Amino acid sequence: MKIKEILRFLDENAPFKTAEDFDNVGLLVGSEDRDVSRVLCCLDITRGVIEEAAEKNIELIISHHPVIFRAIKCISDNSPIKQLIEKNIAAIAMHTNLDIAEGGVNDTLVGALGFERLCTLEITQSDGRGFGAVCDIPDALTVKELAKLCQEKLGTGCVRFSNNFEGERRIKRAAVCCGAGIDEKVVRLAAENGCEAIITGDIKHNFWVEADYLGIALIDAGHYQTENAAKSILAEMISEKFTALCVIVSENECNPCDYI
């Protein structure tokens, strides 16, 4: 099967044109005319993932995070791009387009937490799709209970949460944004939609302060943990469509940071 057939299918389900302007999705390494029979899915194309792919005779890696994100001015000996080329492994990225796709990364995160999705937080597409979700929490929780829920459901070693949110105040509505999903607009939209909390990852200091002024609790459940489902989503999509392909979810990949 040629890579261009896989690209066409992925584009139909999570159109590349719906990716954010800053993003870099699609075929990033290799030729679309290449024949492949073995595919590996992952969150990041790390050294360990490339080694795993080579050991398992993988011809194509499909990742969530792009292996080429910004303009490259040089390729060093330890560059993952050089390693992919040397090992003759192609690479496709499905990033923000997969985040907002129906049944994509953000929808899966909402489902994993057991929340009821009410609407899209920020509509960016003509069909109503977009970034993040406004959700009702079936059983209202304190901020600490909500942080504990994220820790348990997402397998997170450490969850950061707002420590001065009003005592036993119960949270009934939250904005859920996978990855590094917070900026000034997200905070504003969460407030406008009556959200009492925002669940995401990679929260910078200034947003903790800003959200506190607005009375919104923040839950930082980790970038890796809020998007780790991407590799299983991709593997399921592709294996169901292309039954002749051998599709593998990476076993070498793990969270690149630990906690003490």
Side-chain angles (χ1 to χ4, degrees), residues 7-21:
L7 281 169
R8 188 180 305 116
F9 168 72
L10 292 173
D11 191 36
E12 290 171 356
N13 287 269
F16 299 128
K17 68 180 181 181
T18 63
E20 294 289 331
D21 292 340

Side-chain angles (χ1 to χ4, degrees), residues 7 76 108-109 119 154 164 192 197 220 229:
L7 281 169
S76 62
T108 301
L109 175 59
C119 63
L154 305 180
N164 58 348
E192 291 175 358
D220 188 333

Side-chain angles (χ1 to χ4, degrees), residues 37-102:
S37 60
R38 298 176 65 81
V39 176
L40 185 144
C41 298
C42 62
L43 185 67
D44 295 283
I45 299 182
T46 62
R47 183 188 302 111
V49 167
I50 294 174
E51 291 173 355
E52 178 184 9
E55 291 171 1
K56 295 178 178 178
N57 298 314
I58 298 294
E59 300 121 332
L60 171 64
I61 298 176
I62 304 179
S63 68
H64 184 47
H65 294 140
V67 70
I68 302 173
F69 193 59
R70 297 179 179 86
I72 297 173
K73 296 184 179 180
C74 69
I75 298 178
S76 62
D77 286 341
N78 60 358
S79 165
I81 302 161
K82 184 173 185 290
Q83 294 176 28
L84 288 168
I85 293 171
E86 287 180 342
K87 298 180 186 299
N88 198 25
I89 301 172
I92 292 173
M94 297 287 289
H95 192 204
T96 53
N97 56 320
L98 186 64
D99 285 339
I100 70 172
E102 184 176 351

Side-chain angles (χ1 to χ4, degrees), residues 144-205:
K144 192 170 184 179
E145 290 171 339
L146 185 56
K148 187 66 176 178
L149 174 71
C150 292
Q151 183 182 47
E152 293 173 351
K153 297 296 185 181
L154 305 180
T156 305
C158 176
V159 174
R160 298 190 297 162
F161 61 92
S162 299
N163 66 359
N164 58 348
F165 200 66
E166 302 174 16
E168 295 302 310
R169 179 179 168 186
R170 318 297 287 189
I171 297 171
K172 300 178 181 179
R173 179 171 294 184
V176 177
C177 308
C178 61
I182 192 168
D183 58 18
E184 290 82 359
K185 182 185 289 187
V186 166
V187 175
R188 174 177 58 79
L189 289 172
E192 291 175 358
N193 280 276
C195 295
E196 300 155 294
I198 301 172
I199 299 171
T200 187
D202 290 348
I203 301 176
K204 294 182 179 180
H205 177 79

